[in-house]
Amino acid sequence: MSDQPFTSVQIGTLSISILGVIFVASVVTGVLVHSLPVAIIALIAVASAAMLATLTIRVDADGVEWYFTGRVLSKRLGFDEIESCAPRRILPTGLGYRIGFGERRWIVNGGSAVEFRSGGIRYVIGSSDPDAVCAEIARRMQSCASTST
C-alpha cells in the first residue's frame, strides 16, 4: 500500500467571484462614504473568499479527511467508520455551482460530489473527480482489510 496520501482539490470559483464583487463594492462604498461598517463587510468578504477558495479531500493510510482552505473547518472519518462511498451528481442549480458547508454538506463548486455514509449519517463532499476519490478509498479499505486478516 502506498504511504503517499491521495488528494482531490475542488476550487471554489463561484464563491471567490461573488465575494470578490462584494469586496470591491464594499471598498468603493467605504471610500466614498468613509464608513467603518462597510470596511468590516469588505474584510469579512475577503476572509470568506479565502476560506471557501478550495475544498480538499485527502485519503491517507488512516482514513479520509476533508477541509476548506487553511483547514479552518475540517472533518475526518477512519476507514472503520465508512459504511459506503459513492460518486454523486448534484442537481445543477445556479449554473451548476453551489456553495454549502456544515455537518453533512461541504461543497464549494460544481455539480459532482462524493457521498459517504457513516453511522447512519450521509456526508456529501464536493469533488472535481469523485470517481477517483471513491476508487482510492475502496483500494485503501480493501488493502486495510487484507492486512488485518
Side-chain angles (χ1 to χ4, degrees), residues 34-46:
H34 304 291
S35 170
L36 181 60
V38 174
I40 292 171
I41 290 170
L43 183 61
I44 291 169
V46 168

Side-chain angles (χ1 to χ4, degrees), residues 42-88:
L43 183 61
I44 291 169
V46 168
S48 299
M51 185 182 86
L52 297 174
T54 62
L55 174 61
T56 302
I57 299 175
R58 184 175 186 269
V59 183
D60 59 24
D62 300 321
V64 181
E65 176 184 27
W66 57 93
Y67 51 88
F68 289 109
T69 306
R71 294 184 185 203
V72 174
L73 297 172
S74 67
K75 177 80 176 164
R76 181 167 189 78
L77 292 175
F79 290 127
D80 59 336
E81 299 174 87
I82 298 173
E83 297 164 5
S84 68
C85 174
R88 179 168 175 212

Side-chain angles (χ1 to χ4, degrees), residues 120-134:
I121 298 173
R122 181 179 67 158
Y123 297 95
V124 179
I125 315 303
S127 174
S128 299
D129 194 358
D131 293 318
V133 172
C134 288

